[in-house]
Amino acid sequence: MKTSAAPTDRFWSKVLKGPGPSDCWLWTGAVADDGYGRYFLRQNGRDTSVRPHRYAFELVTGTPVRDGDVLRHICNIPICVRPDPEHLILGTQRENMLDRVWDGRHANGASWHWRGTGRAAFAARSHALRDAALEHGWDMAVLGPIMSGVDPEEPTLF
Ligand SMILES: [Zn+2]
């Protein structure tokens, strides 16, 4: 195995970590039309792209994410790459967590708005969040409304 720290260093340089113990870690690199990030790197001798949350999960936990595996965002932020059970859950472990988190989320009306959005709006929101993170850094006055799914330019339906 080659010893090259560069790809991982470059990866983390594109991640904005919230200062709090349970804050999201936001991917600030490329975001594709599906609303998820892309990290371009050279792997096994060829240029490829990976989803940053999967890449981060493998890097930090050492657990490989295979093609059929489901790595779900519990925090409901598609560009979050924090490999922590409050944010990302692999496989069946997520289902119990999802139930619990969604119950709580329904009660306080937080970021569940993301669920109801179509693919285009979902991607637009990821782009907006990425752009805001790049421009403003971790500023919840700016990031908060985007992360909670409240679009200040659209009237709220609920
Ligand atoms: Zn998160």
Side-chain angles (χ1 to χ4, degrees):
M1 195 153 173
K2 265 194 286 183
T3 53
S4 168
T8 57
D9 287 349
R10 195 164 59 86
F11 178 81
W12 292 115
S13 75
K14 295 173 187 287
V15 175
L16 176 67
K17 296 182 179 182
S22 58
D23 284 339
C24 287
W25 295 355
L26 300 179
W27 173 249
T28 64
V31 174
D33 288 346
D34 61 5
Y36 290 94
R38 291 292 187 279
Y39 178 52
F40 298 94
L41 77 167
R42 209 167 162 77
Q43 228 174 26
N44 304 322
R46 61 191 184 91
D47 294 321
T48 184
S49 72
V50 295
R51 294 193 172 200
H53 60 291
R54 288 183 167 236
Y55 188 75
F57 189 91
E58 290 186 349
L59 276 184
V60 173
T61 67
T63 305
V65 182
R66 290 157 312 203
D67 282 349
D69 286 345
V70 177
L71 186 60
R72 200 49 94 97
H73 281 96
I74 296 296
C75 64
N76 215 17
I77 303 297
I79 62 169
C80 175
V81 302
R82 183 165 193 167
D84 179 291
E86 288 176 42
H87 297 265
L88 287 169
I89 293 274
L90 180 63
T92 55
Q93 191 197 356
R94 80 179 165 92
E95 274 146 33
N96 294 330
M97 286 294 293
L98 261 185
D99 289 344
R100 207 173 343 144
V101 170
W102 282 109
D103 285 349
R105 186 154 291 163
H106 223 76
N108 67 22
S111 45
W112 60 274
H113 296 271
W114 282 71
R115 284 288 142 142
T117 60
R119 179 185 160 103
F122 186 81
R125 213 155 260 170
S126 286
H127 279 103
L129 183 57
R130 189 273 317 269
D131 291 348
L134 275 177
E135 188 176 346
H136 300 278
W138 192 271
D139 179 351
M140 280 313 284
V142 178
L143 303 184
I146 305 172
M147 291 172 80
S148 67
V150 178
D151 184 345
E153 292 176 15
E154 275 181 24
T156 307
L157 295 174
F158 302 97

